[in-house]
Amino acid sequence: MRLCVVFCPARGGFGPGTRQMTGFCPGRWLMLLALRLLFLVPAGEPVGRSESNFPKAMDNVTVRQGENAVLRCSIDSGVTRVAWLNRSSILYAGKDKWSLDPRVVIVTNSQTEYSIQIVGVDVYDEGPYTCSVQTHNHPRTSRVHIIVQVPPKIVNISSSVSVNEGSNVTLMCLAIGRPEPTVTWRHLSPPVAAAGRRGLESQDRRAKQVTVRDFVEDEYFEITGITKKQAGEYECSAYNEVSIADVRKVEVIVNYPPYIPSTKNVGVAVGREGILQCEAAAVPPPDFEWYKEERRLLNGLNGIQIKKNGDRSMLTFFNVSEEDYGNYTCVAVNKLGTSNTSVLLFDRGAVLDGNNSASGGMTASLWLLVILFVHFLFKF
Ligand SMILES: *[C@@H]1O[C@H](CO)[C@@H](O)[C@H](O)[C@H]1NC(C)=O
Ligand SMILES: *[C@@H]1O[C@H](CO)[C@@H](O)[C@H](O)[C@H]1NC(C)=O
Ligand SMILES: *[C@@H]1O[C@H](CO)[C@@H](O)[C@H](O)[C@H]1NC(C)=O
Ligand SMILES: *[C@@H]1O[C@H](CO)[C@@H](O)[C@H](O)[C@H]1NC(C)=O
Ligand SMILES: *[C@@H]1O[C@H](CO)[C@@H](O)[C@H](O)[C@H]1NC(C)=O
Ligand SMILES: *[C@@H]1O[C@H](CO)[C@@H](O)[C@H](O)[C@H]1NC(C)=O
Ligand SMILES: *[C@@H]1O[C@H](CO)[C@@H](O)[C@H](O)[C@H]1NC(C)=O
Ligand SMILES: *[C@@H]1O[C@H](CO)[C@@H](O)[C@H](O)[C@H]1NC(C)=O
């Protein structure tokens, strides 16, 4: 038979005779004193010698913070005195309430059951509770633990940050709960800028999988030498078995100088509309400048229009003339740097006016054949 004693793991009786054997244990002596007060333990009478199976407290009680806990104790008809204790303090003895806590109420006090309820359990109520009875002068106890669960809750999380590429970033997410919640970090989104994403994907085809790689189980998530690809939203989840995870997000903005993935030369016939495009990935978004040789082009002058659309700049010639053909330079600038590229506006020719590039390609191939042929002729 295993009758437990508050605070003390040792089994067996707790009469004065066993004191030297088990050592000093204040909780146990306090309870013994409390039980003596109730005359549940006659002096010198060891506890736990009876063959009866009563009292029988229920299994441990697991309850969520704020809910009610009922502590049940099954007894038999031979029982003369009953009490419920919280550690060493008596909550109820028979029908008499000893606890000053209004949350403690008696539920059942019958021949077979002696139960109390704790209304609105809080974390400090967690611990051992003892049902103590006296049957035919034999005092016995049975112990039950109240285990208090608290849903996970994120109490402090890093605010969104804006850093330069290459910086070290530490994200923090502190959570409370019982049991202690597990905290995980996940990278949600790749960089926001469309051009950036396209450009980066051509560098690394697995760019979309960053979410899978950047998964960390820790309250602190350290990123050393942050890259463009590591920009975006990070999600912190705190979970335990009690309820659904608490989830919060942090945005990490990674600033980097402009990067122009590629540009396309444009062939347009005289008198037609021509549009040169320049796309640059940059955070913060870039400003654009257009040059022809050393000359800066300005919006609205000489029949051109310069329009910015996010990370893209468009240089429009409303009516292309011979003088417009040439080598243009697009310069993208942000606070971290600048980048440039050149784009050609060339004469597609009146014959091929407005037609698809396949025929343009064919003309080029034809010319190549002619040149090769001439070359061939000169060799002989
Ligand atoms: C009751 O809870 C206590 C403390 O958490 C634990 O030591 C004990 O093993 C539990 N008993 C049962 C029957 O689960
Ligand atoms: C149980 O004891 C603990 C520690 O003394 C106390 O904080 C808590 O309020 C008590 N709970 C009840 C229901 O008596
Ligand atoms: C969150 O943590 C930071 C860093 O430890 C601290 O400075 C701040 O005061 C905390 N905020 C709250 C609301 O606890
Ligand atoms: C970032 O962390 C690495 C390794 O911990 C360190 O060597 C480096 O100096 C740090 N860089 C900055 C800018 O603090
Ligand atoms: C384009 O310019 C040429 C020469 O300046 C002019 O003859 C022609 O009418 C213009 N076309 C349009 C559509 O403005
Ligand atoms: C256009 O100009 C740039 C320098 O401004 C030069 O590097 C590039 O080769 C030129 N392109 C052509 C096709 O001439
Ligand atoms: C374009 O970039 C090159 C170096 O990459 C630089 O030498 C040149 O001056 C730049 N051109 C303009 C117009 O900014
Ligand atoms: C280009 O030429 C093809 C036939 O060679 C014709 O079907 C097509 O409509 C032309 N495209 C334009 C834009 O004129």
Side-chain angles (χ1 to χ4, degrees):
M1 174 161 189
R2 183 171 180 170
L3 290 172
C4 304
V5 175
V6 178
F7 279 131
C8 293
R11 50 180 82 187
F14 55 82
T18 59
R19 184 175 178 176
Q20 286 79 11
M21 281 148 49
T22 54
F24 181 67
C25 180
R28 187 166 148 187
W29 283 99
L30 270 171
M31 191 178 83
L32 181 64
L33 191 69
L35 295 177
R36 284 256 162 81
L37 275 171
L38 283 173
F39 309 106
L40 279 168
V41 183
E45 177 91 20
V47 174
R49 296 280 159 79
S50 168
E51 299 310 311
S52 166
N53 285 326
F54 292 102
K56 216 184 237 152
M58 58 210 291
D59 288 339
N60 286 348
V61 179
T62 300
V63 60
R64 276 209 214 170
Q65 185 180 36
E67 289 179 351
N68 305 338
V70 175
L71 301 178
R72 288 201 171 80
C73 187
S74 300
I75 51 180
D76 62 10
S77 53
V79 169
T80 50
R81 289 173 196 277
V82 285
W84 266 109
L85 290 85
N86 172 6
R87 295 177 177 84
S88 58
S89 43
I90 296 157
L91 299 175
Y92 259 95
K95 61 178 179 15
D96 299 323
K97 183 171 177 181
W98 286 50
S99 169
L100 297 175
D101 193 334
R103 299 175 306 136
V104 180
V105 293
I106 191 145
V107 178
T108 313
N109 184 8
S110 72
Q111 291 291 311
T112 53
E113 186 182 324
Y114 183 59
S115 307
I116 60 167
Q117 185 180 45
I118 301 163
V119 177
V121 168
D122 211 331
V123 289
Y124 50 78
D125 293 320
E126 183 164 298
Y129 288 75
T130 307
C131 173
S132 181
V133 306
Q134 191 179 350
T135 321
H136 312 119
N137 266 352
H138 293 291
R140 292 187 310 275
T141 60
S142 175
R143 188 163 67 164
V144 60
H145 276 262
I146 290 185
I147 293 155
V148 183
Q149 293 190 324
V150 181
K153 184 169 158 53
I154 295 169
V155 289
N156 196 351
I157 185 164
S158 301
S159 36
S160 293
V161 285
S162 172
V163 297
N164 292 347
E165 198 177 9
S167 307
N168 295 340
V169 178
T170 301
L171 300 178
M172 173 202 68
C173 180
L174 304 180
I176 55 164
R178 271 169 182 249
E180 185 82 24
T182 303
V183 174
T184 60
W185 278 101
R186 196 156 67 99
H187 185 203
L188 290 184
S189 49
V192 209
R197 202 176 307 156
R198 235 170 290 145
L200 294 164
E201 262 165 23
S202 57
Q203 287 176 340
D204 179 2
R205 296 230 167 263
R206 294 166 302 156
K208 277 180 188 152
Q209 290 167 20
V210 287
T211 55
V212 182
R213 292 200 300 264
D214 291 345
F215 181 86
V216 166
E217 185 179 315
D218 196 357
E219 290 183 322
Y220 293 90
F221 181 20
E222 285 172 38
I223 309 167
T224 42
I226 196 163
T227 64
K228 303 177 185 68
K229 280 188 278 175
Q230 288 171 309
E233 277 193 324
Y234 285 81
E235 181 190 82
C236 168
S237 310
Y239 59 91
N240 63 16
E241 72 230 35
V242 182
S243 75
I244 55 158
D246 191 14
V247 176
R248 296 204 20 209
K249 286 174 192 166
V250 176
E251 169 135 32
V252 176
I253 295 165
V254 178
N255 299 304
Y256 56 94
Y259 159 76
I260 303 174
S262 68
T263 46
K264 264 206 334 251
N265 295 333
V266 175
V268 181
V270 167
R272 292 291 181 128
E273 183 185 85
I275 300 173
L276 297 182
Q277 291 199 33
C278 176
E279 211 172 340
V283 177
D287 289 323
F288 292 94
E289 288 166 9
W290 284 93
Y291 293 86
K292 188 179 187 193
E293 276 92 49
E294 299 304 305
R295 187 167 55 88
R296 170 106 187 250
L297 304 176
L298 297 171
N299 185 29
L301 292 183
N302 311 319
I304 60 157
Q305 184 198 52
I306 298 173
K307 228 165 100 179
K308 188 179 158 185
N309 182 6
D311 48 20
R312 176 195 307 231
S313 177
M314 298 200 297
L315 170 60
T316 306
F317 302 86
F318 292 113
N319 182 359
V320 172
S321 66
E322 287 288 349
E323 304 87 70
D324 290 331
Y325 294 128
N327 192 351
Y328 289 81
T329 304
C330 163
V331 181
V333 189
N334 75 1
K335 65 177 182 185
L336 292 185
T338 145
S339 173
N340 72 54
T341 188
S342 62
V343 198
L344 286 182
L345 181 69
F346 64 90
D347 188 359
R348 168 165 272 184
V351 186
L352 301 161
D353 185 8
N355 212 310
N356 58 52
S357 55
S359 28
M362 218 151 86
T363 341
S365 320
L366 268 174
W367 269 110
L368 202 68
L369 269 177
V370 171
I371 291 165
L372 278 173
F373 184 67
V374 170
H375 190 72
F376 181 78
L377 279 181
F378 272 96
K379 274 209 163 165
F380 293 92

